[in-house]
Amino acid sequence: MNAEKKIYTTDFLVIGSGIAGLSFALKTANHFKDASITIITKNEKNECNTKYAQGGISTVWDTTVDSFEQHIEDTLIAGDGLCDKEIVKMVVEAAPNRLQELINWGTNFDKTQNGNYSLGREGGHSQDRILHHKDITGAEIERALIEQVEKTKNITFLTYHYAIDLITEHQVTKKQITRKEKTTCFGAYVLDQQKNSVKTFVAKVTMLASGGNGQVYSTTTNPVIATGDGIAMAYRAKAEISDVEFIQFHPTALYNPGEYPAFLISEAVRGEGAILRDFEGNRFMHNYDKREELASRDIVARAIDNELKKSGAPHVYLDCTHINFGAFKKHFPNITEKCLSLGIDVKKDFIPVSPAQHYICGGVNINKKAKTSIKNLYASGEVTKSGLHGANRLASNSLLEGIVFSHNAFDNLCKRFHKIKMPNNVPEWNDSGVVKNMENILITHDRNEVKTIMSNYVGIVRSNERLLRAEKRLLNLYEDNKRLYDHSELSVDLCELRNLITTAYLITQFSKNRKENKGGFYNADLIKKEL
Ligand code: FAD
Ligand code: SIN
């Protein structure tokens, strides 16, 4: 490890450069002109789940055909009774203003020939209400936000800076803190991956916007950065966490063995009329839900899982052959091209698809102001449990959640930032007594083991026995990894492994404790619910 050690102070420390982190940084920087804002991100500027978002962002845009009430109702139905109604109402009603800000920042959403925004449809939505940029909406949002951030003088944007742990009283007083005690966040310890040194970032306000954790599963649509760091860091800092058992599996990832992460075939394709067929070519969704292909995601994913278990086939098919090809290609150029690169011509061939982990509905508890249970630690986006999604997120409500809660955090800070003092006496990172880890292969093995355990035992359909097995194996991995972590020189691989094990364990524990099947959570040993 590089001997250079430094303490850096910044007014706002933003962990993550997806939609939640960037939109928060921009708002605060533009309002608090004299304040310093530091964004740290562990990879390239735009490498995050946001970049891969396809379908778009839901909002009630055309009030002649749609209404807040309908978007609220669709969100509540998808959430299967566990959404916070007040939060759902707040988010849905805030959506048009937040979308307008994205547009003002330069995001281009597709328009129809008459100049109105083109509104797409996805599963669980009773109206067309998804603003999109072709089938690469997230990449377009990242482009626009990063361009704005780069023009903003009081933002420092540090790539390949990996947050290891949040700093709270635990590090300052060196005393163990219990989950019941009130704590404050003073910033974070951050590994500068290029200099190989740990920097201490002391901040008045820390915004945790570190995204999801798809990498705990063998098959996921999430990029490799999605390792649950934020949930694990917050958990170690004793923040309140909930609902992490509600893992959303996307029904239609492209079945292409060996490709990792899985390429997504957007739900908007079903919104355009695509049909699911089993391995023999027969339709099946009418056996599961009267909304058929446009039932909410938990229902469609479980239906496909059931079909695959019955038939033993590796995938089902998505049939787009009846859809006007010109219109299809215009809306989905990336999907059309990807399929063609694999010899699948969507005009005449069915697309092989199967479910893949896609999203985590729970996470770090926040209130409507995006405050966590730790003072001066805010959180926004996929890392959180805000109450919007309940047991199953409605399609295209996630990007929306990120911009709404980042705005709310900003709004709250307008009232209280001037009262927050820069923390002092924060100790530097201590890495005495560690040695260079010679066997990176152990980390790779353990990472693969976590994925196998979670996919085998904590997948779409769980059982008491499966959860017990997962718990036992994850505890073993935790012990082995703890030894490695306490004595080895830090690396991103090692830290990510620690966080993967922690989030996998939390998902398993919360699953064991859940006594009713709801939304994306299904334990076959609990009272049976209609598939
Ligand atoms: P992210 O965009 O994932 O950003 C997290 C950031 O934190 C990244 O920059 C990451 O590098 C950084 N980070 C993580 N850990 C650390 C650390 N330890 N140190 C430093 N930096 C760290 N949702 C929709 O609403 N509509 C869609 O159409 C849609 N399509 C999707 C398609 C795909 C393929 C995927 C994977 C997801 C899709 N989603 C969609 C979900 C949505 O994209 C995400 O939930 C959302 O983008 C999350 O935004 P975020 O800002 O919270 O996190
Ligand atoms: C998709 O395009 O199917 C993904 C939408 C989402 O995750 O909300």
Side-chain angles (χ1 to χ4, degrees), residues 5-238:
K5 283 186 184 163
K6 281 209 181 107
I7 295 202
Y8 297 77
T9 54
T10 181
D11 291 313
F12 297 89
L13 177 66
V14 182
I15 303 174
S17 56
I19 191 167
L22 293 178
S23 60
F24 175 78
L26 270 177
K27 291 211 152 185
T28 33
N30 287 329
H31 181 82
F32 300 105
K33 296 262 186 236
D34 296 327
S36 53
I37 289 91
T38 305
I39 306 172
I40 59 154
T41 193
K42 66 172 164 172
N43 202 283
E44 295 292 333
K45 285 182 177 172
N46 70 348
E47 188 55 16
C48 55
N49 278 9
T50 301
K51 174 183 165 186
Y52 298 92
Q54 293 188 354
I57 312 193
S58 51
T59 180
V60 174
W61 201 257
D62 183 352
T63 47
T64 59
V65 287
D66 199 2
S67 67
F68 289 147
E69 288 70 30
Q70 288 177 79
H71 189 182
I72 291 169
E73 186 63 10
D74 293 344
T75 304
L76 295 176
I77 292 171
D80 205 5
L82 293 190
C83 299
D84 179 327
K85 285 186 189 159
E86 202 192 313
I87 291 289
V88 173
K89 185 170 181 296
M90 180 277 289
V91 173
V92 165
E93 291 179 357
N97 285 341
R98 302 288 77 81
L99 262 292
Q100 189 57 55
E101 279 164 357
L102 272 188
I103 293 166
N104 296 347
W105 279 323
T107 311
N108 294 307
F109 292 113
D110 291 351
K111 291 189 172 168
T112 59
Q113 274 175 345
N114 61 18
N116 296 327
Y117 282 109
S118 154
L119 299 171
R121 170 93 57 120
E122 290 179 40
H125 286 275
S126 57
Q127 292 292 343
D128 296 351
R129 62 166 77 97
I130 320 286
L131 285 181
H132 56 89
H133 178 90
K134 303 188 175 69
D135 53 356
I136 49 166
T137 308
E140 168 62 10
I141 292 171
E142 282 289 299
R143 180 202 61 73
L145 293 181
I146 289 172
E147 262 178 44
Q148 290 299 326
V149 163
E150 283 172 345
K151 283 195 272 188
T152 310
K153 289 210 171 56
N154 51 340
I155 299 181
T156 306
F157 199 163
L158 300 173
T159 56
Y160 294 97
H161 275 64
Y162 179 91
I164 304 163
D165 261 320
L166 298 167
I167 305 173
T168 63
E169 280 83 356
H170 172 75
Q171 286 90 355
V172 175
T173 62
K174 306 273 182 239
K175 281 194 200 132
Q176 284 297 330
I177 304 286
T178 66
R179 241 160 244 291
K180 290 201 180 103
E181 284 173 78
K182 282 268 165 237
T183 51
T184 309
C185 183
F186 306 123
Y189 291 117
V190 176
L191 177 63
D192 177 337
Q193 295 159 245
Q194 275 142 349
K195 292 203 175 124
N196 197 28
S197 70
V198 178
K199 296 173 174 172
T200 304
F201 277 90
V202 178
K204 290 182 182 171
V205 172
T206 303
M207 164 54 86
L208 189 62
S210 53
N213 71 338
Q215 291 298 316
V216 298
Y217 287 91
S218 306
T219 310
T220 176
T221 61
N222 290 190
V224 292
I225 54 95
T227 52
D229 299 340
I231 294 176
M233 275 190 282
Y235 178 72
R236 284 193 292 275
K238 309 284 191 277

Side-chain angles (χ1 to χ4, degrees), residues 445-457:
H445 285 164
D446 286 357
R447 190 169 172 134
N448 289 336
E449 208 173 322
V450 174
K451 289 171 185 288
T452 309
I453 294 168
M454 293 303 283
S455 292
N456 287 348
Y457 302 132

